[in-house]
Amino acid sequence: YLRREKLNLTDLFAARVELTSEEIEKRIKVAYHKLAGSTRDWVGLVDLRPMLGNVATKDVDKVLRDLSRTGRVSLVPESNRKALGVADHEAAIRIGGEDNHLISISAS
């Protein structure tokens, strides 16, 4: 169930933080810029997600889909699938029938 719903144990037992889409977007951008060496660098969702605090995965995924659809972020799969671990697969977001593991944000 946890894997299918892309949940962690903390999603079940910790108090969730209810944020607006704008607040989640801001957290995503702040976390991205802390991890990225420069604008348009690729950052793993496995590294980004823990920096967002205790926000429900489904809420983060909705914002990521919206940002991707509007072209404000780029999401792509890791080309070296053999390098992916379980955590990478759990952090991925499925868009267009494909698991995406990396995010890039251009200057805005």
Side-chain angles (χ1 to χ4, degrees), residues 8 27 31 35 44-55 91:
N8 294 314
R27 284 190 182 198
L35 292 168
L45 290 175
V46 70
D47 299 317
L48 185 123
R49 286 188 187 272
M51 296 179 71
L52 302 178
N54 198 17
V55 182

Side-chain angles (χ1 to χ4, degrees), residues 6-7 13-14 18 32-33 49-50 66 70 78 90 104 107:
K6 291 196 173 196
L7 297 172
F13 297 110
E18 295 293 327
Y32 172 83
H33 290 294
R49 286 188 187 272
D66 291 344
T70 60
E78 169 61 59
E90 290 174 354
S104 176

